[in-house]
Amino acid sequence: MRTLYFRIVVTFVLIAIVSSMLALLLTNVYYMSYMKSYHEQKIWNIGKEIRTLFEQTPNLDLDNYLAHVANMGFQIYAVDERMEGAFYGAPFKHKQFEQEQIRRVLAGETYHGMEKKVRWLTVIGFFENSIRNSVGLPLEANGVKYALFIRPNLEQQIGEVRILLALLLGFTFLFSLIFIVIFTRYIVKPVKKLTEATNKIVGGDYRIAMDVTRKDEIGNLARHFTHMASSLQQLDQMRQEFVANVSHEIQSPLTSIQGFAQSILNKETTPVEAERYLQIIEEESKRLSSLSKQLLTLAALDKEDNVVKRTRFRLDEQIRQVLIVTEWQWTEKRLSVEPDMPEIIVSADRQLLYHVWLNLLTNSIKFSEPGGIISIGMAVDRHIAVSIRDTGVGIPESELPYVFDRFYKADKARNRSRAGSGLGLSIVKKIVELHQGSVEVRSELGKGTTFTVRLPYL
């Protein structure tokens, strides 16, 4: 299996190889553009100096003279008119050479083998140990014409430098490979920890320990992963609580229905008690029906797949319709409703927003004492703000952060007439958020509660 560790090592090795090849190509371009002509000219000048020195010094023995010159770091090949040649200094590795070129040099021409030789990598020709890679010029000694071919003996002149350079490049590449193999482990190690943490989360264990102190991308990933694990843990806890709450909310009315129905069937009740039990059964059935509808609504809203069907309508008229629908409830409790709603047109889902106002108003009616006041206000700034305020029992300050949680009930001791499923405000918040709005609550125990819904003003 090609692991990430293997891929990174191979990638770094390929980078090193490709970089070396590119460096060689660029060096070749530099050599062809600047160094080749300079090197050729330098050897040509040295060859002329060798010839000039010989010509200016009479009675010199050519063999002895060329041997001493060769000892100073040159390779020399001298050919006379009879095509008999002699080598001086270190031997040439490649001695093949065209006789026609020798005749031209004997005739007075010059030979520029270093410059004319064409190779794929010209810079490599700098080290070619052959007669073709030399400078040729004519020389006359004691009336005999010679063709003199000269090149520097790189082994003698820079042999130690070549060895040091080869060792330097070789050790650099070797240590690079070693360090790549070693330090790649430190790059892959956090990824392996992330894999292990992922497997733990899949197994339901959210207690993971990641290095979140790093300041690089790995540290940032670890912090986000830790945050994700915490969110998943919280989500899992909410799911478990949700299932437990749903089970409880369903089981309670079912137990009541079962108990009262059993009593009626067993003829253990008087007609008056049976009638009262049947009324309770009807109320509990309504609670179950309402709970199922709210659960279906939440499920649909959670999907968020084309849930919001926007249309333009008057928001003040919609809230007045809700007031008309709930009139029997607030008149029964002798509540005063004080609406202050200017004409405002909104682009939203008419049916979903209807649920928002119906839920908030019924909550205000439910938790208001008889003779209380419900105020409804609307204002437009950058947003449309709708406030519904009552003078009811209020909500303790410690409970305010949780009122929008699913199945949360602030009044744990409230009677059955005020009982609800604990899903209404969750639905309100979800609907408002789907409209890119927000909802907040302010309350003071014993003085009342105010819910403020803010919607985008289009």
Side-chain angles (χ1 to χ4, degrees), residues 312-327:
R312 293 177 64 85
F313 59 93
R314 283 183 55 178
L315 185 61
D316 57 303
E317 285 188 355
Q318 185 182 57
I319 297 177
R320 287 190 178 93
Q321 291 174 2
V322 177
L323 288 174
I324 294 172
V325 171
T326 58
E327 183 177 1

Side-chain angles (χ1 to χ4, degrees), residues 59-283:
N59 302 322
L60 273 179
D61 180 65
L62 181 61
D63 287 340
N64 189 40
Y65 174 71
L66 293 179
H68 281 84
V69 171
N71 290 336
M72 291 188 292
F74 295 95
Q75 293 174 279
I76 301 175
Y77 178 53
V79 187
D80 59 16
E81 296 172 319
R82 293 175 295 180
M83 294 297 170
E84 295 179 356
F87 292 94
Y88 302 90
F92 287 93
K93 185 177 182 180
H94 303 286
K95 300 179 181 180
Q96 295 83 3
F97 199 61
E98 298 178 0
Q99 291 189 355
E100 179 62 28
Q101 190 62 57
I102 296 176
R103 292 190 181 93
R104 291 180 180 177
V105 175
L106 289 173
E109 297 183 12
T110 57
Y111 173 71
H112 299 274
M114 294 182 177
E115 185 175 355
K116 294 181 179 180
K117 184 65 176 178
V118 178
R119 302 172 181 84
W120 180 65
L121 282 176
T122 310
V123 68
I124 297 178
F126 179 79
F127 302 98
E128 182 182 338
N129 185 10
S130 67
I131 300 177
R132 294 177 302 176
N133 191 30
S134 63
V135 172
L137 66 164
L139 174 67
E140 186 174 344
N142 299 321
V144 179
K145 293 182 178 180
Y146 292 89
L148 198 63
F149 298 91
I150 304 172
R151 73 177 302 273
N153 185 359
L154 298 179
E155 184 68 29
Q156 182 177 349
Q157 292 185 5
I158 59 172
E160 296 83 358
V161 177
R162 291 170 62 188
I163 294 174
L164 290 175
L165 183 61
L167 290 174
L168 175 64
L169 294 176
F171 283 128
T172 299
F173 188 75
L174 177 63
F175 284 120
S176 297
L177 294 180
I178 294 174
F179 288 137
I180 287 172
V181 172
I182 293 175
F183 288 108
T184 300
R185 294 182 180 273
Y186 291 96
I187 299 176
V188 177
K189 188 176 180 181
V191 179
K192 289 184 176 180
K193 285 188 175 181
L194 284 173
T195 304
E196 295 172 359
T198 303
N199 292 330
K200 291 179 66 177
I201 291 176
V202 171
D205 185 4
Y206 300 98
R207 296 169 298 178
I208 60 174
M210 303 293 298
D211 184 8
V212 296
T213 60
R214 296 178 56 155
K215 303 299 182 182
D216 55 4
E217 287 80 358
I218 295 295
N220 192 32
L221 178 61
R223 285 188 290 274
H224 282 79
F225 193 89
T226 303
H227 179 69
M228 181 195 70
S230 177
S231 299
L232 287 175
Q233 184 178 16
Q234 184 178 4
L235 184 63
D236 187 60
Q237 292 174 350
M238 290 176 61
R239 179 185 60 82
Q240 294 176 7
E241 292 176 1
F242 183 82
V243 173
N245 288 326
V246 170
S247 300
H248 175 74
E249 291 292 332
I250 293 176
Q251 187 63 35
S252 295
L254 284 177
T255 302
S256 298
I257 292 172
Q258 185 180 11
F260 292 132
Q262 191 67 40
S263 297
I264 296 173
L265 290 174
N266 292 338
K267 309 298 183 179
E268 299 174 353
T269 61
T270 65
V272 176
E273 289 177 333
E275 184 178 357
R276 185 165 60 86
Y277 288 172
L278 287 174
Q279 289 176 350
I280 295 175
I281 290 174
E282 182 184 17
E283 291 175 1

Side-chain angles (χ1 to χ4, degrees), residues 280-453:
I280 295 175
I281 290 174
E282 182 184 17
E283 291 175 1
E284 297 295 346
S285 299
K286 290 179 179 179
R287 285 186 62 202
L288 283 175
S289 176
S290 175
L291 176 63
S292 64
K293 289 179 181 178
Q294 289 180 325
L295 288 173
L296 289 173
T297 301
L298 270 178
L301 293 176
D302 284 337
K303 289 182 179 179
E304 299 186 9
D305 295 334
N306 299 320
V307 175
V308 178
K309 310 294 184 182
R310 293 183 180 271
T311 57
R312 293 177 64 85
F313 59 93
R314 283 183 55 178
L315 185 61
D316 57 303
E317 285 188 355
Q318 185 182 57
I319 297 177
R320 287 190 178 93
Q321 291 174 2
V322 177
L323 288 174
I324 294 172
V325 171
T326 58
E327 183 177 1
W328 68 271
Q329 299 180 36
W330 50 267
T331 54
E332 185 180 20
K333 295 186 73 172
R334 303 187 309 278
L335 300 177
S336 297
V337 177
E338 299 177 352
D340 181 14
M341 298 182 294
E343 180 179 330
I344 295 178
I345 296 178
V346 67
S347 175
D349 189 303
R350 183 189 295 267
Q351 184 176 357
L352 291 180
L353 279 191
Y354 186 88
H355 282 292
V356 172
W357 316 129
L358 181 62
N359 189 283
L360 293 178
L361 280 170
T362 52
N363 276 352
S364 295
I365 296 170
K366 186 186 300 182
F367 297 107
S368 292
E369 299 296 339
I373 300 173
I374 297 177
S375 302
I376 304 173
M378 294 177 61
V380 177
D381 189 6
R382 289 180 300 175
H383 299 84
I384 298 174
V386 180
S387 298
I388 300 176
R389 181 180 182 276
D390 63 63
T391 57
V393 295
I395 304 172
E397 186 178 355
S398 60
E399 308 288 347
L400 289 177
Y402 310 105
V403 295
F404 295 106
D405 292 350
R406 298 180 181 185
F407 291 105
Y408 189 82
K409 300 176 183 179
D411 185 4
K412 306 295 191 302
R414 62 194 179 192
N415 57 42
R416 186 171 293 276
S417 64
R418 289 181 175 178
S421 64
L423 292 174
L425 291 179
S426 299
I427 294 175
V428 167
K429 184 179 181 182
K430 189 67 178 179
I431 292 173
V432 173
E433 288 179 346
L434 287 175
H435 285 81
Q436 289 81 47
S438 64
V439 58
E440 62 182 32
V441 56
R442 292 181 289 109
S443 184
E444 188 174 350
L445 196 61
K447 293 187 177 181
T449 303
T450 302
F451 283 91
T452 303
V453 176

